[in-house]
């Protein structure tokens, strides 16, 4: 090793060490100065370095769905003296919360009229200009204008309308239209995410998001003939009526129609007509100009738990036949009063709505299979359906069984005379006993029995006298007693629970 080289190297190291110490002292002094100024190099670096992504993986958005669906949703403005539907809120009954409100005029007007102008929404469903909207949006309109998202305004004509489903089909003549894809509303499930598109309150096209809250809803608002609503909490307000309810694929699953509200604004309970029903109506209106439906010819009630127990059914559900129209498809097929319809063409019947809509859509002249329970045995009947007349396809009795029962039966009855039968509008061949008085604290009152009711059957056994009634009631076990009542010409079933509750 070269001693001279080692000496030189050592001198260099000493010089470097001295320089480093000087720099450290200078740095400490500079740092102290920087601290006094409340600014650090690290802080300056943080401020000047931009954050490119707060969360990795892109954005969480429905923008792509909206970009597909939005061009198909239009604003509809009408002019003409459109009469207000009796279901639209007009200060009539504050307890009647359900009303059709979309398409209302914003200003006041004579009572019973909506005024000369109305607002709603619609959905383009074909490239050649067909548009679906609500019946109540265009009902009585003399002039209809459709506003597209590309700022075009087009005149529209009504191809056909269907009050029973609250749907109407319009037609415009234009090119470069962007129709929406029709989804399968039967496949929609409670909890699915949906978007509502329309023009609420005239502010311009708006998109809101929610879920499917329920299916198969009936509000019995207005005509109420054919309702099978999808319920949603996607916010919808005045002007959304006739607009689109779409799934996350951008497919149309419903046409917005009604809300439930105690404030005349959205509270998260809205109703849309299922796309499958809308397609059926649209196809009929396009090809025939009207909608044809089938009818069975029965009056039915939903089977309650008390009825199910009385009839020996395993569970509530289905529709019990309370009357069969003479000469109807049901009578020809052998349907009888008291039959419980469990399935139609192999599909379960859960309630009145299900049966009514499935019968209607089967089509006049088609043959259907009815699965029903009669006296505890399952039967299959083949029925050739008739064409429905307004409000005649399969109607539900206005009177439903009421709540719980308490102590004694609590009625006084008398024989049915021809004079009483005429006064009570009973059929000529009616039999039974007439209810004169009802104890308000008794079991009969709790079951919904009223003065003037004619008790015709007890547990499916005919009643022709007061003695028959007493004997039939004595035979009743711990099950609820099933009564067939004729009330002002309509047959209905009521159940009376046993005296021990």
């Amino acid at each position: 090793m070269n001693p001279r080289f080692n000496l030189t190297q050592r001198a260099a190291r000493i010089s470097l060490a001295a320089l480093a110490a000087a720099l450290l002292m200078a740095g400490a002094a500079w740092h102290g100065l920087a601290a006094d100024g409340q600014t650090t190099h690290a802080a300056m670096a943080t401020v000047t370095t931009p954050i490119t992504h707060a969360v990795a993986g892109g954005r969480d958005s429905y923008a792509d769905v909206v970009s597909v669906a939005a061009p198909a949703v239009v604003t509809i403005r009408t002019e003409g003296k459109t009469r207000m539907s009796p279901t639209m809120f007009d200060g009539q009954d504050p307890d009647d919360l359900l009303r059709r409100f979309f398409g209302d005029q914003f200003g006041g007007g004579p009572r019973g009229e909506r005024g000369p102008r109305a607002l709603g929404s619609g959905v383009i469903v074909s490239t050649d200009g067909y548009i679906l909207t609500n019946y109540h949006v265009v009902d009585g309109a003399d002039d209809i204008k459709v506003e597209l998202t590309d700022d075009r305004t087009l005149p529209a004509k009504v191809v056909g309308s269907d009050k029973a489903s609250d749907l109407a089909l319009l037609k415009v003549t234009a090119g470069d239209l962007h129709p929406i894809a029709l989804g399968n509303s039967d496949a929609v499930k409670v909890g699915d995410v949906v978007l509502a598109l329309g023009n609420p309150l005239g502010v311009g096209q708006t998109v809101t998001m929610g879920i499917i809250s329920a299916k198969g809803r009936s509000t019995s608002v207005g005509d109420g003939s054919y309702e099978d609503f999808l319920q949603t909490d996607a916010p919808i307000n005045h002007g959304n009526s006739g607009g689109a309810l779409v799934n996350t694929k951008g497919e149309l699953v419903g046409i917005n129609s009604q809300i439930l509200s105690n404030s005349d604004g959205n509270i998260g309970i809205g109703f849309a007509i299922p796309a499958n029903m809308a397609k059926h109506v649209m196809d009929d209106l396009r090809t025939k100009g009207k909608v044809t439906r089938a009818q069975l010819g029965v009056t039915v009630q939903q089977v309650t738990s008390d009825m199910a127990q009385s009839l020996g059914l395993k569970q509530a559900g289905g529709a019990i036949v309370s009357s069969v129209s003479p000469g109807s498809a049901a009578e020809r097929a052998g349907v009888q009063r008291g039959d419980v319809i469990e399935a139609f063409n192999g599909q379960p019947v859960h309630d009145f709505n299900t049966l009514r809509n499935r019968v209607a859509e089967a089509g006049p002249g088609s043959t259907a299979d009815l699965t029903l329970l009669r006296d505890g045995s399952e039967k299959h009947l083949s029925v050739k359906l008739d064409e429905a007349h307004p409000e005649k396809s399969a109607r539900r009795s206005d009177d439903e069984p009421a709540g719980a029962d308490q102590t004694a039966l609590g009625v006084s009855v008398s024989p049915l005379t021809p004079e009483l039968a005429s006064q009570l509008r009973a059929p000529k061949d009616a039999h039974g006993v007439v209810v004169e008085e009802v104890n308000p604290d008794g079991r009969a009152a709790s079951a919904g029995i009223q003065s003037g009711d004619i008790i015709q059957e007890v547990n499916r056994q005919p009643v022709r006298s007061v003695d028959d009634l007493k004997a039939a009631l004595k035979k009743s076990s711990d099950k609820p007693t099933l009564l067939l009542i004729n009330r002002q010409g309509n047959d209905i079933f009521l159940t009376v629970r046993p005296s021990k509750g």
Side-chain angles (χ1 to χ4, degrees):
M1 180 178 295
N2 189 333
R4 185 178 176 181
F5 176 80
N6 288 341
L7 183 60
T8 303
Q9 187 179 44
R10 181 176 298 179
R13 287 178 177 175
I14 292 172
S15 299
L16 287 173
L19 178 61
L23 288 174
L24 285 173
M25 291 177 67
W30 178 85
H31 178 73
L33 179 62
D36 291 341
Q38 298 298 314
T39 305
T40 65
H41 181 71
M44 291 176 63
T46 302
V47 171
T48 57
T49 304
I51 298 174
T52 55
H53 295 287
V55 179
R59 72 177 179 220
D60 184 11
S61 172
Y62 296 107
D64 292 340
V65 178
V66 174
S67 66
V68 170
V73 180
V74 302
T75 295
I76 297 175
R77 299 185 188 273
T78 68
E79 294 187 4
K81 289 189 176 181
T82 307
R83 291 182 301 168
M84 178 177 286
S85 163
T87 61
M88 301 186 79
F89 181 67
D90 193 27
Q92 301 170 41
D93 183 357
D95 293 328
D96 184 14
L97 303 181
L98 279 166
R99 58 223 179 225
R100 292 192 179 102
F101 68 99
F102 309 111
D104 277 355
Q105 176 200 6
F106 296 126
R111 183 177 178 86
E113 290 188 357
R114 203 183 304 171
R117 298 176 184 273
L119 169 73
S121 300
V123 186
I124 302 173
V125 290
S126 70
T127 55
D128 54 348
Y130 284 96
I131 297 172
L132 271 174
T133 187
N134 284 142
Y135 170 89
H136 71 263
V137 169
V138 298
D139 179 28
D142 297 322
D143 183 67
I144 303 172
K145 292 290 192 299
V146 171
E147 299 173 1
L148 308 185
T149 55
D150 60 8
D151 295 329
R152 284 183 289 173
T153 299
L154 306 172
K157 66 176 183 178
V158 177
V159 176
S161 59
D162 182 51
K163 182 179 180 181
S165 63
D166 192 25
L167 288 167
L169 186 65
L170 309 182
K171 180 73 166 60
V172 297
T173 301
D176 194 25
L177 298 175
H178 302 279
I180 198 167
L182 297 183
N184 178 11
S185 55
D186 289 343
V188 171
K189 294 183 178 180
V190 174
D192 284 356
V193 173
V194 287
L195 306 178
L197 291 86
N199 186 350
L201 302 174
V203 299
Q205 190 178 89
T206 301
V207 183
T208 55
M209 185 270 287
I211 63 170
I212 296 294
S213 306
K215 296 180 65 175
R217 292 295 201 211
S218 174
T219 64
S220 298
V221 172
D223 182 80
S225 298
Y226 298 95
E227 296 178 343
D228 189 27
F229 291 122
L230 300 174
Q231 182 182 328
T232 180
D233 66 346
I236 48 182
N237 289 286
H238 292 266
N240 276 102
S241 191
L245 191 71
V246 304
N247 60 20
T248 53
K249 296 179 181 178
E251 298 170 332
L252 182 74
V253 295
I255 299 291
N256 299 322
S257 179
Q258 298 180 17
I259 66 164
L260 170 63
S261 175
N262 56 3
S263 63
D264 204 29
N266 178 267
I267 61 171
I269 307 177
F271 302 95
I273 302 164
N276 288 7
M277 178 183 287
K279 183 179 185 303
H280 171 78
V281 171
M282 176 180 68
D283 290 344
D284 270 7
L285 292 177
R286 285 182 68 171
T287 57
K288 296 179 285 190
K290 67 174 184 176
V291 181
T292 56
R293 296 180 173 92
Q295 75 173 16
L296 188 56
V298 293
T299 301
V300 296
Q301 295 173 241
Q302 186 169 343
V303 177
T304 65
S305 56
D306 280 352
M307 284 185 186
Q309 190 177 357
S310 178
L311 294 168
L313 305 180
K314 294 181 180 179
Q315 59 186 11
I320 186 169
V321 178
S322 55
S323 69
V324 180
S325 299
S328 65
E331 185 184 59
R332 295 194 302 270
V335 177
Q336 300 178 10
R337 184 171 58 200
D339 288 346
V340 176
I341 301 175
E342 290 192 313
F344 181 83
N345 282 338
Q347 296 180 308
V349 171
H350 300 293
D351 51 30
F352 164 75
N353 285 333
T354 307
L355 176 63
R356 174 199 57 195
N357 293 326
R358 286 179 179 164
V359 169
E361 292 186 1
S366 63
T367 301
D369 177 73
L370 282 182
T371 304
L372 51 85
L373 282 178
R374 180 182 298 166
D375 299 325
S377 300
E378 185 176 279
K379 292 183 176 294
H380 288 267
L381 298 179
S382 179
V383 53
K384 186 175 181 179
L385 300 173
D386 296 327
E387 182 173 349
H389 302 291
E391 303 178 1
K392 295 287 185 181
S393 56
R395 63 186 182 91
R396 172 178 52 192
S397 171
D398 291 334
D399 300 288
E400 298 290 345
D405 303 295
Q406 293 120 20
T407 55
L409 186 60
V411 295
S412 62
V413 298
S414 63
L416 177 66
T417 65
E419 292 78 17
L420 280 175
S422 177
Q423 292 175 18
L424 298 172
R425 296 194 291 182
K428 292 181 180 180
D429 58 349
H431 60 81
V433 294
V434 181
V435 176
E436 292 184 334
E437 295 182 0
V438 181
N439 181 350
D441 297 322
R443 294 188 294 143
S446 297
I449 296 175
Q450 302 174 9
S451 176
D453 285 349
I454 302 171
I455 301 176
Q456 300 183 107
E457 291 181 3
V458 175
N459 289 332
R460 305 304 316 283
Q461 299 301 312
V463 171
R464 299 182 182 276
S465 66
V466 176
D467 289 338
D468 287 348
L469 176 62
K470 292 179 179 179
L473 289 173
K474 285 181 180 179
K475 292 179 182 178
S476 296
S477 61
D478 57 350
K479 294 181 179 180
T481 301
L482 183 68
L483 302 181
L484 176 66
I485 301 292
N486 185 280
R487 180 175 294 164
Q488 295 295 312
N490 296 315
D491 290 332
I492 62 173
F493 282 105
L494 296 176
T495 50
V496 180
R497 290 185 178 179
S499 57
K500 294 182 180 180

